[in-house]
Amino acid sequence: MKLKRILVIFVLLIEFVPSGKCDTIDVWHVFYNKKKIKEFDEYSAFHEIVIHADSVKKGDSIVVYYYRDTPCDDCPTSLIVEDEQGNVRLKKNGIGTFNPIALSVNDLLVIRKSMDTKSALNIFFSEERLTPKRLLFRLKLQ
């Protein structure tokens, strides 16, 4: 009887043990010329954006809004553009977690044209207190 009581208590306690996933996750919204084109989160399966180079106009931009449950109002943030070999090709700095950071699509096209292959660019978010940087999405410029 005593063992049965202990087992019942143990099973009830298991219900209150937190699971491996957090109930709050980081999310990011990607805009192309003020129009939201994608929403991602930590558990999104496929983080890829395709832009057709022939449709790009002067002044086009990609803007990323990064949201988290523990924001920082004044810490340094950045978007980092890397090639598939991990070489940093561009870095745009910002201040604060919820403040958007913009990338010029024309600058990205110049980077893409300077690369030998037609591989994608990896776009990362970095916050001073976040380690390591987070891969937000892969950008294909076709």
Side-chain angles (χ1 to χ4, degrees):
M1 186 61 123
K2 188 174 183 179
L3 180 61
K4 189 175 181 180
R5 218 180 247 170
I6 291 172
L7 188 58
V8 168
I9 291 171
F10 179 73
V11 169
L12 290 174
L13 288 175
I14 290 293
E15 294 293 319
F16 296 106
V17 174
S19 66
K21 283 188 177 178
C22 298
D23 61 350
T24 56
I25 59 171
D26 295 2
V27 297
W28 49 98
H29 298 176
V30 182
F31 288 75
Y32 186 83
N33 294 335
K34 299 182 182 180
K35 180 183 176 193
K36 188 189 307 185
I37 58 171
K38 292 281 186 174
E39 287 185 25
F40 298 112
D41 63 45
E42 294 176 68
Y43 303 118
S44 297
F46 193 63
H47 295 185
E48 186 172 274
I49 294 175
V50 177
I51 295 178
H52 298 282
D54 58 350
S55 68
V56 174
K57 296 175 183 66
K58 187 176 180 178
D60 283 1
S61 64
I62 293 175
V63 179
V64 176
Y65 290 81
Y66 191 89
Y67 306 100
R68 58 186 297 122
D69 64 334
T70 55
C72 176
D73 294 331
D74 58 355
C75 59
T77 58
S78 59
L79 287 180
I80 302 165
V81 179
E82 293 184 0
D83 59 26
E84 288 189 336
Q85 290 73 41
N87 301 312
V88 175
R89 298 295 194 129
L90 179 67
K91 184 175 181 180
K92 290 291 184 169
N93 296 318
I95 298 291
T97 308
F98 290 161
N99 294 320
I101 303 175
L103 298 170
S104 164
V105 178
N106 287 308
D107 289 348
L108 297 172
L109 281 173
V110 169
I111 292 168
R112 178 66 190 81
K113 287 177 183 175
S114 72
M115 296 166 56
D116 292 338
T117 65
K118 295 194 181 237
S119 58
L121 296 170
N122 295 318
I123 313 297
F124 293 89
F125 178 79
S126 175
E127 182 182 312
E128 181 179 71
R129 62 192 177 136
L130 255 185
T131 50
K133 63 190 176 212
R134 168 159 288 151
L135 177 63
L136 299 182
F137 57 92
R138 292 173 43 88
L139 178 65
K140 289 189 175 180
L141 297 164
Q142 300 178 335

